[in-house]
Amino acid sequence: MGKLTSEIITSLGLESYLMSEGNLPLSSPIDGESLGYVEETSQADAHEMISKAKAAFLKWRVVPAPLRGEHLRLLGEELRTCKEELGYLISLESGKILEEGRGEVQEIIDICGFALGLSRQLYGLTMTSERPGHRMMETWHPLGPVAVISPFNFPAAIWGWNFVLAILCGNPVIWKPSEKTLLTAIACAHLFEKVISKFENAPPHLLQLALGGREISDVFLENHDIPLVSATGSCGMGHYVAQQVSNRLGRYLLELGGNNGMILAPSAHLELAVRAVTFSALGTAGQRCTTLRRLIIHRSIYDQVIPRLKSIFENVKIGNPLESGILMGPLINKEAYEHMQESLKLAQEQGGKIHGGTRVLKEKYTKGYYVKPALVEMPSQTSIVKTETFAPILYVMTYDDFTEALQMHNDVPQGLSSSIFTQDTAEAEIFMSASGSDCGIVNVNIGPSGAEIGGAFGGEKETGGGRVSGTDTWRAFMRRATNTINYSGELPLAQGIHFDVS
Ligand code: NAD
């Protein structure tokens, strides 16, 4: 069963937040049992947080970036020492298996290392000027307090992607975590505080937690003193955030839902492909934004692949994610289970043939929602296939012609991650080309799930267009100034314009 041990409570600094009564209930999806309560952040407190973040910004923005990077290196070190405990808490609260809980902590450690390197590389360009005796360059400056809204399924890593870059770039953060994974957020904040409190040059309130449901987000969406809102979650949430922040012409960075496909071509290495489908479709019990949801398979290999996948789906080890050997834990809650069942019903009405998808272990876990993953053979890509259901459902469609497969692949509203398994170089190149996959992540001979932090992460269309994590995504957290310096002793104007008063 899922337990909060006293060792976890102490080492992750949960004791001052955890209460036996309060207005925000905590529970584990493992067995649905209560983990206690925490106090909700009031609207007044949320406004106060913005004032504190503004004050912190004035001090933090002038700390040299390499020093900010050094603080983040130490955060990475701190996370190494408590990887086991934090990984356990993540699993306990989100229901993912321990191996994936630990992996999530590793992701933050990795981005701390990335940030340290970046701290000496926040480069701007220099440009040639058309005017004699002039120099042009761009400089990148801290932006201001950033609000981060995060989902339940990566309760620590998504904070890490955003927070580490925001802090590196000189910005304090107000974090509104998912109401389903508040303890993980409290633990992350505690670990950062432990590191940062040792430094005299670091002001207080670099990270503040706004605990509550979606309503508390409004305070940050509407306030001009929050120049950037970075929100990760469902497309519905993204629509709302975009509208609210646009009303005040603020900036937003959106990381929203996916509907990730794989084209499985006749030349593919089928052993590897089956393993990739298994991890991509069943990992995190189908609750990853990059989960494989659509398999577009060449008709000629259908009978070789689909029976094997059915057998894997039937026999995958489902159970308490804290136990070794288990590959699939529970869904996050009852609503997620009901949503999955509604989608399966619609799939059936739209001609789908369903294998699996039923609830299991309900005698043992009356309040835990464990399901057999569903493999659904579809006659075509119907409306339900074009919808993201955040559960382990893999829709399978066939194709005869590569152009048809590509067209089907792109014919969904979301554009997060994609993959192709093929040994045909031309197919692989086309898939990655301008006329290929329209997603933000385009993989060849690996599944769509399990990205590394070095690459920019995010997607197109209704996925929101934002990017976080690697390469140059830091730019979203800074403001750019274009500087022109005149050392000529004259005052020539651009475009050769003469504007002389004498
Ligand atoms: P969710 O949209 O229900 O909630 C995400 C966060 O947004 C939570 O903190 C929630 O309280 C808040 N929220 C919800 N509605 C809001 C609103 N109207 N205004 C302001 N805040 C609001 O998502 P979830 O169920 O926690 O997570 C699953 C979803 O997140 C899936 O759609 C998944 O694909 C997506 N996701 C995307 C990425 C990515 O990088 N693209 C990563 C992880 C998850």
Side-chain angles (χ1 to χ4, degrees):
M1 296 287 166
K3 287 274 174 290
L4 254 189
T5 61
S6 53
E7 189 197 353
I8 298 281
I9 292 174
T10 315
S11 66
L12 298 180
L14 306 178
E15 61 272 47
S16 55
Y17 282 86
L18 263 178
M19 300 182 302
S20 53
E21 273 182 37
N23 42 19
L24 285 178
L26 308 162
S27 64
S28 168
I30 295 176
D31 51 16
E33 295 302 331
S34 172
L35 297 173
Y37 294 83
V38 295
E39 193 63 39
E40 191 173 16
T41 301
S42 69
Q43 298 268 326
D45 286 346
H47 285 285
E48 184 67 16
M49 282 178 182
I50 297 176
S51 306
K52 288 177 176 165
K54 276 174 70 182
F57 176 60
L58 298 182
K59 296 193 170 144
W60 190 237
R61 67 180 177 179
V62 293
V63 173
L67 195 51
R68 299 196 296 250
E70 172 61 9
H71 297 344
L72 291 166
R73 179 184 74 78
L74 293 169
L75 174 63
E77 289 303 308
E78 184 64 35
L79 287 163
R80 279 178 212 276
T81 66
C82 63
K83 185 171 173 181
E84 245 351 91
E85 292 89 337
L86 186 56
Y88 177 95
L89 183 62
I90 291 168
S91 296
L92 182 65
E93 254 197 329
S94 70
K96 63 178 62 178
I97 59 171
L98 258 184
E99 186 68 11
E100 293 185 83
R102 291 188 198 106
E104 207 174 314
V105 184
Q106 185 61 43
E107 217 168 310
I108 315 174
I109 296 169
D110 292 343
I111 203 147
C112 286
F114 180 76
L116 176 68
L118 254 189
S119 69
R120 293 176 189 271
Q121 301 176 72
L122 301 176
Y123 298 137
L125 297 170
T126 57
M127 290 74 77
T128 47
S129 171
E130 66 188 47
R131 286 169 281 185
H134 283 58
R135 183 162 69 83
M136 288 176 72
M137 63 178 189
E138 59 183 21
T139 43
W140 291 87
H141 298 298
L143 185 63
V146 174
V148 173
I149 299 174
S150 63
F152 79 84
N153 67 324
F154 276 85
I158 287 172
W159 163 72
W161 295 349
N162 285 280
F163 171 75
V164 168
L165 290 186
I167 286 290
L168 171 72
C169 293
N171 311 311
V173 168
I174 300 174
W175 179 18
K176 198 224 86 61
S178 167
E179 53 277 39
K180 297 170 188 133
T181 51
L182 296 169
L183 291 177
T184 301
I186 291 166
C188 290
H190 166 77
L191 296 171
F192 176 67
E193 200 49 47
K194 209 170 150 187
V195 169
I196 205 75
S197 58
K198 293 182 190 139
F199 291 94
E200 278 174 17
N201 60 14
H205 310 305
L206 286 176
L207 173 60
Q208 299 177 86
L209 286 179
L211 304 179
R214 48 179 288 185
E215 302 72 26
I216 199 73
S217 307
D218 284 336
V219 174
F220 312 115
L221 304 185
E222 290 162 7
N223 197 306
H224 286 268
D225 290 324
I226 303 288
L228 174 68
V229 175
S230 178
T232 304
S234 57
C235 295
M237 179 276 283
H239 276 286
Y240 181 78
V241 167
Q243 281 167 17
Q244 296 304 106
V245 180
S246 295
N247 281 343
R248 60 173 172 93
L249 300 181
R251 279 198 213 174
Y252 50 78
L253 193 167
L254 299 178
E255 293 286 345
L256 308 175
N259 193 352
N260 317 294
M262 179 193 288
I263 296 178
L264 191 42
S267 67
H269 189 313
L270 294 185
E271 277 306 309
L272 297 187
V274 165
R275 280 168 56 192
V277 170
T278 304
F279 173 68
S280 303
L282 309 188
T284 327
Q287 299 168 111
R288 280 188 182 220
C289 53
T290 51
T291 291
L292 177 65
R293 309 202 179 279
R294 300 177 296 129
L295 181 62
I296 302 165
I297 177 170
H298 195 270
R299 197 180 300 277
S300 65
I301 51 173
Y302 196 87
D303 290 339
Q304 267 173 283
V305 173
I306 299 307
R308 281 198 60 196
L309 286 179
K310 279 187 200 160
S311 163
I312 291 169
F313 275 44
E314 178 59 32
N315 296 307
V316 63
K317 280 198 159 181
I318 303 167
N320 185 336
L322 301 171
E323 286 172 10
S324 68
I326 294 294
L327 290 181
M328 274 182 74
L331 296 178
I332 188 70
N333 57 21
K334 186 176 180 207
E335 288 71 41
Y337 167 71
E338 287 170 352
H339 191 199
M340 178 178 178
Q341 298 311 308
E342 282 158 23
S343 295
L344 289 175
K345 188 162 168 275
L346 280 174
Q348 196 165 33
E349 285 166 14
Q350 293 173 14
K353 193 170 165 203
I354 297 167
H355 309 275
T358 49
R359 190 169 169 202
V360 294
L361 302 173
K362 58 183 169 197
E363 286 76 27
K364 188 168 178 193
Y365 302 105
T366 51
K367 290 189 274 177
Y369 290 85
Y370 295 77
V371 287
K372 271 218 187 288
L375 188 146
V376 185
E377 297 174 275
M378 293 301 295
S380 62
Q381 187 159 267
T382 64
S383 61
I384 188 62
V385 182
K386 296 184 184 184
T387 311
E388 182 198 46
T389 301
F390 215 54
I393 302 177
L394 178 65
Y395 298 108
V396 183
M397 281 87 56
T398 53
Y399 77 92
D400 295 299
D401 167 65
F402 183 63
T403 313
E404 174 201 357
L406 204 47
Q407 195 277 333
M408 198 190 307
H409 177 274
N410 289 348
D411 187 21
V412 292
Q414 313 82 353
L416 180 53
S417 189
S418 59
S419 81
I420 185 169
F421 264 80
T422 183
Q423 302 288 335
D424 180 328
T425 318
E427 280 182 350
E429 288 290 343
I430 292 169
F431 192 67
M432 290 183 288
S433 76
S435 43
S437 163
D438 61 4
C439 291
I441 299 168
V442 184
N443 293 340
V444 175
N445 293 331
I446 63 167
S449 178
E452 295 182 26
I453 63 101
F457 184 94
E460 303 301 331
K461 301 192 285 185
E462 288 187 8
T463 301
R467 294 292 187 280
V468 283
S469 209
T471 70
D472 63 351
T473 64
W474 57 270
R475 290 168 188 238
F477 295 88
M478 300 200 90
R479 69 178 172 84
R480 180 198 318 233
T482 300
N483 312 128
T484 307
I485 305 110
N486 175 7
Y487 59 92
S488 69
E490 307 286 332
L491 198 63
L493 299 180
Q495 293 85 47
I497 290 173
H498 292 282
F499 203 82
D500 295 328
V501 280
S502 56

